[in-house]
C-alpha cells in the first residue's frame, strides 16, 4: 500500500479549533484546514468547504472532519466509486466526544480513529472489526512469513467478508489462532485456500482464491513451541513519549505480539510495527490476559505485555507471575521472561510539582476490588500514624466513590487539614491537569480513575519560587 498523505483536520468554525489542536497532538503530522471566513490560526485556509473536501479526497488525503457525519457523507457521496482507493474519512463530534470512521477501511481508517480517540480520551466508534481483522492478519503476516501475491489479497478478503471459508495448508499458527473462518470437518469444499510453503518447496499456484505465504526455514518449528518464546512485561510510563524508556521502545518495536488493555495498547500505538498483532481486551481480568501472553510465548512468539506506568505497580507483572506459579503449564517453563520498568504515575505527578515524595512514603490503592476495604483502611491509618507521605492510586471509579471521602476522614485523625496534597490527572496525556490543594479541601469531584493523589507528610511544604510558580516538597532533613 502506498503511504498516505498527512491527514487533513477540516474545521468549519473557531469553536472546533481546540478539538482540532488536541487531535493534532495525537497526529503530529496532521494539518488543520480552517474555513477562511470563520476561523483563525489554521495551518491552511480554504474558501469553499465542498470543493476543498472533494479535492483532498481525490488526492488521497485522509480527512478528519470536525462536523456532522452527514455533511461529510453528502459532500463526498458523488465520488465514492472504488473502496480500494478511498482515503480514510472520519467524522469527529464538535466537542470531541465521538470519533466515527466513515470510509477508508482498507486504508487504515480504524487505526487512525483509534489514535485520535486515544488523544481525545474516548473510544472510537469502530463498526468494521471483521474487515479490519482479516486485513491485518492477511496483509501483515508476522516476522518470518511473506505473502507472495499481495495483489490477490483484496479480492480474497472481499470473498471472506461475503462469507467464504478458508482451508489452511501448512504450518501457520498465527492464522490458526486468528479469527479467520477456517473450514471445519463436514463443511463443503471451500473456494479459498491459504498455503504456507518453504522457500525451497514447489510453489502452488497463487491467485484470488489462493494466498501463498513463504515461511522462513525453521519458522514453523519455532512456532510449534520448541521454547524460544519471549515474554517482556513492559511499562510505557504515564503516556508521554519522552517518558517511555529506550528499552521499552525497542521491545515494543520488535515484538510479534502485544497483549494488553485496549487503552494502554492505544497509547503505545505510535511504536507498533504494522505486522505486530494486537491482542487487546476490554475486560479487566488480568489473569486471562496473562494466560494469553504466556500461551503465545510458548508457541515461540516474541510477546510484549503492555502496562501503563510501571508494570510492577498495580499492573500486569504480578499477574503473570501469579499465573505462572498457579497454573504452571509445562509449555511455559522455557519462556524467557523479562520485566522492563516504566515511570509510575506517582513519579510523574511528583516531578510536576517538585519533590513531595522526597522522604519516606507509602503507596496505597483505594480499589477494594482485589482486597477488602478493612485492609485498605488500616493501611491508611498506619501510614497516617507513621507520618509517611502517601500516593493514592485508583482513588475513585464510576462504581467506587465513597472510598476517597473515607480515606480523607481517616487521614485527618493524624494530619492537619492544611497538609499539601497534589491531584494529578492524565499525566503525560492530552488534558493533563495537576492541582495543589490542602487536605481539608479534598473532594471526590477532584479525582477520577485517571487521577493519582499525593498526600504530604507533616513535613511537606509549599514554596513560592518566582511569580506564579509554586513547588511542593518534603525535606530530607528534619
Ligand atoms: N502501573 C500504573 C498504575 C496502574 S493502576 C503506574 O505505575 O502508573 C491505575 C491508576 O494509576 C489510576 O487509577 C491512577 O491512579 C494512576 N494513573 C495511571 N496513569 C495515570 C496518569 N497518566 N495520570 C494520572 N494517574 C495515572
Amino acid at each position: 500500500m502506498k503511504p498516505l498523505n498527512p491527514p487533513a483536520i477540516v474545521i468549519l468554525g473557531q469553536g472546533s479549533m481546540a478539538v482540532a489542536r488536541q487531535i493534532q497532538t495525537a497526529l503530529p503530522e496532521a494539518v488543520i484546514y480552517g474555513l477562511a471566513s470563520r476561523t483563525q490560526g489554521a495551518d491552511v485556509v480554504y474558501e469553499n468547504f465542498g470543493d476543498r473536501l472533494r479535492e483532498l479526497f481525490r488526492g488521497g488525503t485522509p480527512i478528519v472532519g470536525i462536523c456532522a457525519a452527514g455533511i461529510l457523507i453528502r459532500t463526498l457521496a458523488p465520488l465514492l466509486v472504488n473502496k480500494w482507493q478511498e482515503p480514510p474519512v472520519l467524522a469527529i463530534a464538535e466537542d470531541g466526544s465521538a470519533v466515527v470512521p466513515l470510509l477508508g477501511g482498507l486504508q487504515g481508517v480504524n487505526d487512525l480513529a483509534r489514535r485520535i480517540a486515544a488523544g481525545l480520551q474516548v473510544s472510537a466508534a469502530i463498526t468494521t472489526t471483521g474487515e479490519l481483522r482479516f486485513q491485518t492478519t492477511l496483509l501483515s503476516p508476522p516476522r518470518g512469513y511473506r505473502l507472495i501475491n499481495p495483489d490477490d489479497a483484496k479480492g480474497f478478503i472481499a470473498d471472506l467478508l461475503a462469507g467464504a471459508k478458508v482451508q489452511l495448508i501448512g504450518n501457520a499458527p498465527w492464522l490458526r489462532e486468528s479469527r479467520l473462518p477456517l473450514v471445519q470437518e463436514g463443511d463443503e469444499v471451500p473456494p479459498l485456500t491459504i498455503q504456507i510453503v518453504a522457500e525451497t518447496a514447489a510453489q502452488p499456484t497463487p491467485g484470488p482464491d489462493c494466498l501463498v505465504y513463504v515461511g522462513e526455514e525453521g519458522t514453523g518449528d519455532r512456532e510449534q513451541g520448541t521454547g524460544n518464546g519471549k515474554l517482556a512485561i513492559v511499562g510505557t510510563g504515564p503516556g508521554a513519549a519522552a517518558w517511555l524508556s529506550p528499552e521499552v521502545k525497542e521491545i515494543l518495536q520488535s515484538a510479534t505480539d502485544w497483549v494488553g488493555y485496549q487503552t494502554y495498547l492505544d497509547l503505545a500505538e505510535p511504536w507498533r510495527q504494522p505486522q505486530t498483532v494486537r491482542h487487546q481486551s476490554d475486560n479487566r481480568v488480568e489473569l486471562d490476559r496473562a494466560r494469553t501472553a504466556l500461551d503465545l510465548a510458548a508457541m515461540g512468539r516474541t510477546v510484549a505485555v503492555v502496562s501503563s506506568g510501571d508494570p510492577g505497580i498495580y499492573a500486569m507483572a504480578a499477574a503473570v507471575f501469579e499465573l505462572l506459579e498457579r497454573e504452571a503449564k509445562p509449555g511455559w517453563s522455557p519462556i524467557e521472561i523479562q520485566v522492563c520498568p516504566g515511570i509510575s504515575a506517582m513519579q510523574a505527578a511528583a516531578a510536576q510539582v517538585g519533590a513531595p515524595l522526597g522522604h519516606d512514603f507509602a503507596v496505597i490503592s483505594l480499589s477494594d476490588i482485589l482486597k477488602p476495604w478493612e485492609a485498605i483502611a488500616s493501611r491508611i491509618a498506619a501510614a497516617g500514624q507513621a507520618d509517611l507521605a502517601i500516593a493514592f492510586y485508583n482513588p475513585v471509579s464510576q462504581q467506587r466513590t465513597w472510598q476517597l471521602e473515607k480515606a480523607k476522614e481517616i487521614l485527618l485523625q493524624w494530619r492537619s487539614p492544611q497538609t499539601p496534597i497534589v491531584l494529578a490527572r492524565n499525566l503525560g496525556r492530552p488534558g493533563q491537569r495537576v492541582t495543589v490543594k490542602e487536605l481539608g479541601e479534598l473532594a471526590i469531584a477532584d479525582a477520577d480513575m485517571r487521577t493519582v493523589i499525593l498526600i504530604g507528610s507533616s513535613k511537606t511544604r509549599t514554596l513560592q519560587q518566582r511569580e506564579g510558580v509554586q513547588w511542593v516538597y518534603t525535606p530530607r532533613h528534619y
Side-chain angles (χ1 to χ4, degrees):
M1 233 177 282
K2 77 173 169 50
L4 293 164
N5 297 333
I9 303 170
V10 184
I11 62 171
L12 286 154
Q14 197 62 21
S16 303
M17 188 57 92
V19 169
R21 293 251 182 263
Q22 233 178 320
I23 296 172
Q24 208 175 28
T25 311
L27 309 174
E29 72 277 18
V31 179
I32 299 178
Y33 286 69
L35 183 60
S37 55
R38 299 227 201 103
T39 61
Q40 278 180 346
D43 302 318
V44 175
V45 293
Y46 63 85
E47 301 289 337
N48 182 298
F49 178 75
D51 291 348
R52 179 49 75 107
L53 209 65
R54 285 185 286 269
E55 182 188 319
L56 288 166
F57 186 87
R58 280 198 208 93
T61 300
I63 296 173
V64 180
I66 305 185
C67 60
I71 299 181
L72 297 173
I73 293 169
R74 257 184 271 282
T75 309
L76 297 174
L79 307 183
L80 304 184
V81 282
N82 183 348
K83 79 167 176 169
W84 303 105
Q85 275 168 12
E86 66 199 17
V89 177
L90 303 98
I92 314 286
E94 229 180 328
D95 60 359
S97 63
V99 177
V100 188
L102 296 173
L103 298 168
L106 298 166
Q107 305 277 356
V109 74
N110 289 343
D111 279 343
L112 200 57
R114 282 203 193 86
R115 285 172 65 193
I116 294 173
L120 295 173
Q121 302 277 323
V122 297
S123 312
I126 306 280
T127 56
T128 54
T129 48
E131 183 157 331
L132 183 75
R133 209 158 45 223
F134 295 153
Q135 190 194 339
T136 314
T137 313
L138 294 173
L139 293 179
S140 318
R143 193 174 302 175
Y145 291 90
R146 184 171 52 83
L147 176 61
I148 67 166
N149 56 327
D151 289 346
D152 291 324
K154 294 172 176 179
F156 191 95
I157 292 169
D159 286 348
L160 277 181
L161 292 169
K165 292 196 172 186
V166 179
Q167 184 178 22
L168 193 56
I169 303 170
N171 188 9
W174 108 90
L175 290 174
R176 288 221 177 276
E177 286 147 30
S178 73
R179 300 197 200 162
L180 278 180
L182 297 179
V183 275
Q184 311 286 323
E185 234 165 287
D187 279 350
E188 291 165 35
V189 179
L192 301 177
T193 316
I194 296 180
Q195 291 220 32
I196 313 292
V197 298
E199 196 82 63
T200 47
Q203 304 229 329
T205 319
D209 296 342
C210 178
L211 296 185
V212 178
Y213 294 85
V214 174
E216 275 171 16
E217 195 120 7
T219 304
D221 294 346
R222 204 163 62 238
E223 302 238 348
Q224 286 286 295
T226 46
N228 287 334
K230 291 194 180 129
L231 180 65
I233 310 156
V234 306
T236 56
W243 288 344
L244 180 120
S245 80
E247 177 185 53
V248 169
K249 185 171 164 187
E250 155 86 33
I251 284 177
L252 287 174
Q253 289 175 335
S254 60
T256 56
D257 299 78
W258 287 6
V259 175
Y261 183 48
Q262 176 171 357
T263 314
Y264 299 156
L265 296 192
D266 287 345
L267 284 171
E269 189 63 18
W271 295 281
R272 190 170 65 87
Q273 303 293 316
Q275 69 274 16
T276 303
V277 184
R278 282 172 60 128
H279 304 266
Q280 67 184 31
S281 63
D282 41 21
N283 73 39
R284 295 194 167 261
V285 184
E286 295 185 335
L287 293 180
D288 288 348
R289 243 176 282 151
R291 191 177 297 107
T292 303
L294 284 162
D295 285 344
L296 283 165
M299 288 185 307
R301 311 279 295 176
T302 302
V303 183
V305 176
V306 183
S307 286
S308 86
D310 183 275
I313 297 180
Y314 306 122
M316 284 301 295
V320 169
F321 291 113
E322 193 180 331
L323 197 71
L324 202 59
E325 179 165 30
R326 196 201 290 180
E327 292 189 3
K329 289 193 198 168
W332 292 349
S333 53
I335 299 171
E336 268 178 55
I337 298 178
Q338 183 186 5
V339 181
C340 306
I343 296 174
S344 192
M346 63 183 164
Q347 294 165 278
Q352 293 298 306
V353 297
L357 306 179
H359 203 79
D360 299 334
F361 66 94
V363 185
I364 301 175
S365 164
L366 291 188
S367 167
D368 55 359
I369 294 171
L370 301 176
K371 60 186 173 187
W373 171 252
E374 293 67 43
I376 301 172
S378 73
R379 281 171 204 174
I380 298 169
Q385 186 170 16
D387 199 20
L388 297 168
I390 304 173
F392 283 133
Y393 282 67
N394 302 304
V396 295
S397 77
Q398 273 152 0
Q399 294 82 34
R400 290 185 301 104
T401 48
W402 54 266
Q403 285 87 346
L404 184 58
E405 198 60 52
K406 206 80 191 136
K408 173 182 172 185
E409 211 173 279
I410 300 170
L411 281 175
L412 282 172
Q413 295 171 18
W414 312 96
R415 229 157 273 189
S416 129
Q418 278 78 47
T419 307
I421 63 167
V422 180
L423 299 147
R425 178 163 197 271
N426 277 333
L427 288 155
R429 306 177 191 171
Q432 168 171 313
R433 195 177 67 215
V434 181
T435 319
V436 176
K437 281 192 165 186
E438 293 181 354
L439 178 56
E441 301 169 327
L442 175 61
I444 289 174
D446 290 336
D448 62 8
M449 56 193 289
R450 298 194 193 115
T451 307
V452 66
I453 302 180
L454 308 181
I455 311 280
S457 73
S458 68
K459 302 287 188 287
T460 305
R461 315 167 51 72
T462 56
L463 169 76
Q464 208 67 39
Q465 184 213 355
R466 50 191 174 96
E467 190 68 27
V469 178
Q470 187 194 40
W471 298 106
V472 183
Y473 79 103
T474 306
R476 303 185 58 205
H477 301 95
Y478 286 21

